Amino acid sequence: MFFVYMNYLQTITFRLVVIFLLCSTVGFSQSITRKEVEGKITSLIRSSHSDVGVAVLDLDSGEKMGFNNKKHYPMQSVFKFHLGLAVLKKIDEGVLSLDQIVDVKKEKLDTNTWSPMIKEYPNQDLHVSIKDLLRYTVEQSDNNACDILFELVGGPAKVNAYIHSTGVQDIKISATEGEMKKAWSVQFTNWSTPTAAVQLLEKFYKGNLLKKAQHDFLWELLVHSIRSERLQTALPKDAVVGHKSGTSGRNAQGVRAAFNDIGIVNLSNGKHFAIALFVSDSKESDEATIQLMKDITKVVWEYYK
């Protein structure tokens, strides 16, 4: 009987030890703290020979983090999200409709720019719906479709005024894709602070900008936007990401003015956050910049997971 009792005690003791070890390695583990997140992101930014701005906003609690948030970063194609908002607002107001057909003469189209639309319909006049123009602009970052939409809503100044009317001020939209193409300096007139970018994303996420049908359509476009190695590949596959990236060319000195991504991330654990990543004035390789952006995104994910 004594030996049976001792075996019983040994079994219980072994199980308690196993439970303790499991709890110490899993159950009692803690996520990284905000201070650790800020320290890691600051170190990553300092490691890059670029001007890097980052903003993160918890869409549930409102908690904010920001790095270099007073600087004006050139947006490049990130501003196609802003344009999409402005166009869909006109649809909400009944000024335009998604099914409205726009006629464009082929002479007005730039054949020497990024334009999946004219690759699909080469050397011809276009008869395209506003819905399709938005798909080309936001999903595929088409420069011709973008400038057609700018013309429909009255130009960059009108889009800029609409964005400011939402209460987000630290954004400036002054030039079309065609105008940016004319001179290197023009792209810097379309700028945003990282904080302003996540503020606008928050307003969109909360449904404060558009009616539901238009909101859902734009969210669909963002989710299906050209897959980004900068943001999406740093997150788990079950995360839902709606984003808009933007990239400039390089000048004669090899400097890339803009390498950006902004987006809303919905994690499977119920967490939601907005993030803006702006990299400017960079001589780093694209591979190094992508890795930097992925590393920053992973740190943020680690905090929220």
Side-chain angles (χ1 to χ4, degrees):
M1 187 71 179
F2 173 79
F3 290 108
V4 171
Y5 179 72
M6 289 299 294
N7 286 336
Y8 173 76
L9 283 180
Q10 288 174 346
T11 301
I12 292 296
T13 302
F14 175 76
R15 288 177 178 173
L16 287 172
V17 169
V18 170
I19 291 170
F20 173 78
L21 290 173
L22 286 172
C23 288
S24 64
T25 58
V26 179
F28 294 156
S29 65
Q30 293 181 339
S31 300
I32 60 174
T33 65
R34 177 187 172 120
K35 185 175 180 180
E36 289 172 325
V37 170
E38 291 175 336
K40 286 184 177 183
I41 293 177
T42 298
S43 294
L44 286 166
I45 289 172
R46 287 175 178 170
S47 72
S48 176
H49 300 293
S50 309
D51 187 354
V52 183
V54 180
V56 181
L57 174 61
D58 186 322
L59 293 168
D60 304 305
S61 71
E63 180 187 31
K64 303 173 184 177
M65 287 183 277
F67 308 82
N68 296 327
N69 267 298
K70 292 184 179 180
K71 294 188 177 182
H72 296 174
Y73 291 91
M75 287 190 286
Q76 279 290 336
S77 288
V78 163
F79 78 162
K80 290 169 182 169
F81 166 62
H82 306 60
L83 174 59
L85 285 171
V87 172
L88 289 167
K89 184 64 176 178
K90 291 292 185 184
I91 290 169
D92 275 349
E93 295 169 347
V95 177
L96 302 172
S97 71
L98 283 176
D99 295 328
Q100 181 177 331
I101 299 299
V102 180
D103 296 323
V104 185
K105 293 293 185 182
K106 63 181 180 181
E107 293 78 14
K108 290 189 67 175
L109 299 169
D110 185 353
T111 58
N112 190 29
T113 190
W114 173 256
S115 186
M117 181 174 64
I118 64 170
K119 288 182 179 179
E120 190 170 350
Y121 303 103
N123 195 32
Q124 60 185 282
D125 298 339
L126 296 181
H127 310 281
V128 59
S129 70
I130 290 177
K131 186 174 186 177
D132 284 340
L133 286 170
L134 282 164
R135 286 195 184 279
Y136 281 118
T137 298
V138 180
E139 279 191 4
Q140 300 187 50
S141 213
D142 191 293
N143 292 337
N144 277 300
C146 170
D147 284 0
I148 294 168
L149 289 176
F150 264 127
E151 187 173 345
L152 277 177
V153 296
K158 292 290 186 181
V159 176
N160 189 64
Y162 163 68
I163 296 299
H164 287 182
S165 76
T166 69
V168 180
Q169 299 301 314
D170 289 330
I171 289 173
K172 183 71 180 233
I173 299 173
S174 300
T176 64
E177 285 285 356
E179 289 166 342
M180 283 196 290
K181 187 179 176 182
K182 291 176 181 178
W184 177 262
S185 61
V186 178
Q187 67 186 302
F188 295 95
T189 66
N190 292 331
W191 56 262
S192 176
T193 64
T195 292
V198 296
Q199 285 173 342
L200 190 63
L201 288 169
E202 178 188 30
K203 288 178 181 292
F204 169 70
Y205 170 81
K206 292 186 174 180
N208 296 335
L209 302 180
L210 301 170
K211 293 179 182 177
K212 188 176 187 305
Q214 275 59 257
H215 174 277
D216 291 350
F217 177 57
L218 184 53
W219 174 246
E220 175 195 338
L221 299 183
L222 293 171
V223 170
H224 292 98
S225 183
I226 296 172
R227 183 169 174 80
S228 170
E229 294 180 336
R230 309 161 201 195
L231 182 57
Q232 287 167 299
T233 56
L235 295 164
K237 291 182 179 179
D238 58 5
V240 179
V241 183
H243 78 106
K244 187 71 198 79
S245 58
T247 310
S248 74
R250 293 186 185 269
N251 65 12
Q253 290 72 45
V255 174
R256 196 179 286 285
F259 206 89
N260 311 323
D261 208 356
I262 70 168
I264 294 167
V265 179
N266 297 335
L267 296 176
S268 60
N269 66 0
K271 289 284 189 179
H272 313 86
F273 65 89
I275 184 168
L277 303 169
F278 289 97
V279 180
S280 185
D281 192 28
S282 177
K283 285 190 176 180
E284 299 273 15
S285 69
D286 290 349
E287 292 76 15
T289 302
I290 287 170
Q291 189 60 53
L292 169 71
M293 298 170 84
K294 287 174 65 173
D295 289 343
I296 292 171
T297 302
K298 284 178 181 177
V299 172
V300 175
W301 169 68
E302 188 177 355
Y303 183 58
Y304 285 113
K305 73 179 181 179

